[in-house]
């Protein structure tokens, strides 16, 4: 009985450490502490201004698993990539997506090819989207700006990568209303079997 208690205690402790280790670490920006500081440590956070609101993504453990996780989707035959960051503006869930072409990414091991790549979001081939919960029209408004993947560090076993950078774009709807995404920054740990999807 004592042995099983000891084993259960170790197992519970290991699970708790694993969960805590993957939670996001929000380090306030020294200029504007409402945003996370730009880091390259795999802090599992992102942030930006959305017009006059703050959009924030901090990965945390929820009832059904992690929430506010990044996703990286690849369509090798089309040389197409979609990067999604999940977060919220305090009272509303919202996603940032980047639909990109011609990056040459077919597998997780190719991610280091993106280090230092500045992609112009032209609203055609490469586009940024700001998608709010319950707004089916969000995908209609293609953002123009830039995504800068400053750093990618992949581990020796090729199963996890630290993925950091900055972004900004403006999306305009059919009647001329604009949503401006500015001072965006992200710093995530991408796990091959959890965040990377090959279609």
């Amino acid at each position: 009985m004592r042995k099983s208690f000891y084993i259960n205690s170790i197992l519970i402790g290991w699970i708790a450490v694993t969960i805590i280790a993957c939670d996001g670490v929000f380090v306030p920006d020294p200029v504007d502490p409402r945003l996370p500081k730009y880091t390259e440590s795999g802090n599992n956070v992102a942030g930006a201004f959305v017009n006059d609101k703050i959009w924030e993504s901090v990965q945390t453990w929820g009832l059904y698993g992690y929430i506010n996780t990044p996703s990286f989707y690849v369509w090798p035959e089309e040389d197409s990539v979609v990067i999604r960051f999940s977060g919220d503006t305090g009272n509303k869930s919202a996603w940032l997506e980047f639909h990109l072409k011609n990056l040459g990414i077919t597998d997780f091991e190719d991610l280091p090819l993106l280090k230092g790549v500045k992609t112009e979001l032209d609203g055609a081939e490469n586009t940024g989207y700001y998608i709010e919960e319950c707004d089916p029209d969000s995908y209609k408004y293609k953002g123009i700006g830039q995504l800068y993947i400053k750093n990618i560090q992949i581990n020796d076993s090729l199963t996890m990568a630290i993925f950091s950078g900055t972004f900004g774009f403006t999306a305009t709807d059919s009647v001329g209303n604009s949503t401006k995404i500015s001072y965006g920054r992200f710093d995530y740990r991408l796990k091959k079997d959890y965040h990377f999807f090959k279609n």
Side-chain angles (χ1 to χ4, degrees):
M1 179 169 262
R2 245 176 136 174
K3 187 175 179 183
S4 70
F5 173 77
Y6 178 71
I7 291 170
N8 287 341
S9 297
I10 290 173
L11 183 60
I12 290 168
W14 179 81
I15 290 170
V17 167
T18 301
I19 289 170
I20 291 167
C22 294
D23 273 358
V25 178
F26 186 98
V27 178
D29 186 273
V31 175
D32 191 327
R34 295 175 297 169
L35 293 172
K37 179 182 178 182
Y38 175 76
T39 54
E40 297 180 350
S41 307
N43 283 347
N44 286 327
V45 297
F49 286 109
V50 176
N51 292 335
D52 59 347
K53 299 181 290 187
I54 296 289
W55 173 85
E56 182 183 283
S57 171
V58 180
Q59 180 174 288
T60 54
W61 182 259
L63 186 60
Y64 301 106
Y66 283 105
I67 58 172
N68 293 339
T69 61
S71 301
F72 201 105
Y73 301 91
V74 176
W75 286 265
E77 289 182 12
E78 300 169 19
D79 199 358
S80 179
V81 166
V82 172
I83 302 168
R84 177 183 296 157
F85 303 145
S86 301
D88 61 69
T89 55
N91 60 354
K92 189 179 288 187
S93 294
W95 300 263
L96 289 168
E97 282 191 5
F98 301 93
H99 294 216
L100 312 171
K101 297 283 284 182
N102 304 317
L103 294 177
I105 303 300
T106 59
D107 293 294
F108 189 83
E109 296 76 13
D110 297 328
L111 289 180
L113 297 173
L114 298 178
K115 184 175 181 175
V117 171
K118 290 182 182 178
T119 301
E120 178 189 354
L121 304 174
D122 56 12
E125 192 167 82
N126 300 308
T127 305
Y129 293 93
Y130 173 71
I131 303 139
E132 284 193 339
E133 182 180 33
C134 303
D135 183 2
D137 289 331
S138 298
Y139 276 108
K140 294 179 184 176
Y141 313 131
K142 298 180 176 182
I144 296 171
Q146 185 183 74
L147 171 67
Y148 181 14
I149 301 173
K150 287 187 171 186
N151 191 40
I152 291 187
Q153 302 169 28
I154 198 162
N155 67 359
D156 292 339
S157 61
L158 305 177
T159 57
M160 191 274 292
I162 292 176
F163 176 59
S164 309
T166 60
F167 57 87
F169 61 88
T170 300
T172 305
D173 68 18
S174 56
V175 294
N177 297 316
S178 293
T179 301
K180 184 178 181 181
I181 313 298
S182 57
Y183 296 99
R185 66 282 311 267
F186 61 92
D187 181 23
Y188 290 110
R189 290 177 185 266
L190 292 177
K191 294 183 181 176
K192 181 177 182 178
D193 297 328
Y194 192 74
H195 302 111
F196 187 88
F197 305 95
K198 187 174 177 179
N199 298 291

